[in-house]
Amino acid sequence: AQSVAQPEDQVNVAEGNPLTVKCTYSVSGNPYLFWYVQYPNRGLQFLLKYITGDNLVKGSYGFEAEFNKSQTSFHLKKPSALVSDSALYFCAVRGTGANNLFFGTGTRLTVIP
Amino acid sequence: KAGVTQTPRYLIKTRGQQVTLSCSPISGHRSVSWYQQTPGQGLQFLFEYFSETQRNKGNFPGRFSGRQFSNSRSEMNVSTLELGDSALYLCASSLEPSVYNEQFFGPGTRLTVL
């Protein structure tokens, strides 16, 4: 079975400060991990993915994520937060032997001006 | 290149009715997946289609069905609507079913069941 957990429902950060949105995963095989962002009344936008290779993955809009196998984590990071980064962030893991995604419960990020 | 399009964007139905939602994937994408998003259950996988065949199905009752056409467009149908079916239904496309391919999501269809 596979699942992801996002332990924080809400993260607040001041504009210009670094941000981290946490995600831990549980899979029975190789982890294929994704981050998506959702703005109000919109679908999900792909940010980045980890399939294999370097543990630090760079994605869209200045976001990056660090894959940590020993801690089974895939935290999303950005060095300097923008007010426009305020949105709902979802971590997801691909199903074992399947193409579908299992999503976390989401973390609402608020960047305070 | 145009993104994933979903029609209609908003729907209001009453209990017992049925509804059909449509999804057009990104040009060249042949895999289409459907997800349901609700405040209580979050994002849940409904089903996935590739080459007009259902490859995978989530844990939803048989009232939820779908299909894919030869041009990769997909439809999902919900029969005998219940209040709990009120949700945002998201369609996602990818080039083909592969662990290497990310899914691109449409804006969703917001279904309200009264």
Side-chain angles (χ1 to χ4, degrees):
Chain A
Q2 50 282 311
S3 64
V4 292
Q6 294 181 244
E8 300 160 318
D9 291 336
Q10 174 83 42
V11 169
N12 297 324
V13 64
E15 186 178 21
N17 282 4
L19 69 86
T20 299
V21 183
K22 296 179 181 177
C23 172
T24 59
Y25 66 89
S26 173
V27 296
S28 54
N30 292 325
Y32 303 109
L33 300 159
F34 301 79
W35 275 102
Y36 285 85
V37 61
Q38 186 176 35
Y39 295 97
N41 300 316
R42 305 270 289 274
L44 278 66
Q45 293 181 29
F46 170 75
L47 284 177
L48 50 79
K49 64 181 177 183
Y50 173 83
I51 304 299
T52 186
D54 290 341
N55 290 340
L56 185 64
V57 180
K58 294 191 181 297
S60 306
Y61 313 118
F63 284 94
E64 56 189 28
E66 187 172 6
F67 172 71
N68 188 315
K69 188 173 183 178
S70 62
Q71 297 186 6
T72 62
S73 67
F74 188 56
H75 300 332
L76 182 70
K77 301 182 179 185
K78 188 174 183 182
S80 179
L82 301 173
V83 173
S84 58
D85 293 330
S86 298
L88 189 56
Y89 290 81
F90 289 97
C91 180
V93 64
R94 181 151 272 153
T96 302
N99 196 40
N100 58 289
L101 296 171
F102 290 87
F103 286 89
T105 51
T107 298
R108 186 163 300 281
L109 172 69
T110 300
V111 180
I112 303 163
Chain B
K1 187 181 277 191
V4 178
T5 58
Q6 293 187 245
T7 56
R9 291 291 312 276
Y10 301 92
L11 265 178
I12 300 176
K13 293 284 187 179
T14 56
R15 280 180 298 174
Q17 287 186 309
Q18 75 165 19
V19 66
T20 299
L21 313 181
S22 180
C23 170
S24 293
I26 292 172
S27 178
H29 286 196
R30 298 189 297 156
S31 176
V32 173
S33 298
W34 288 88
Y35 294 83
Q36 182 197 62
Q37 185 177 20
T38 60
Q41 299 298 317
L43 280 153
Q44 293 186 288
F45 169 72
L46 281 157
F47 24 65
E48 178 201 5
Y49 288 88
F50 176 68
S51 293
E52 302 177 65
T53 301
Q54 187 180 90
R55 293 187 74 246
N56 199 4
K57 189 177 190 304
N59 189 24
F60 278 82
R63 300 184 297 106
F64 291 81
S65 64
R67 60 178 175 168
Q68 186 180 35
F69 302 96
S70 58
N71 61 358
S72 296
R73 192 176 69 84
S74 177
E75 289 181 348
M76 67 163 281
N77 183 277
V78 188
S79 62
T80 319
L81 284 166
E82 301 177 359
L83 294 179
D85 297 333
S86 294
L88 181 66
Y89 290 88
L90 294 164
C91 169
S93 76
S94 60
L95 282 168
E96 55 186 34
S98 165
V99 296
Y100 301 104
N101 295 330
E102 57 270 29
Q103 296 183 358
F104 294 90
F105 284 78
T109 294
R110 174 133 344 247
L111 172 65
T112 302
V113 182
L114 302 176

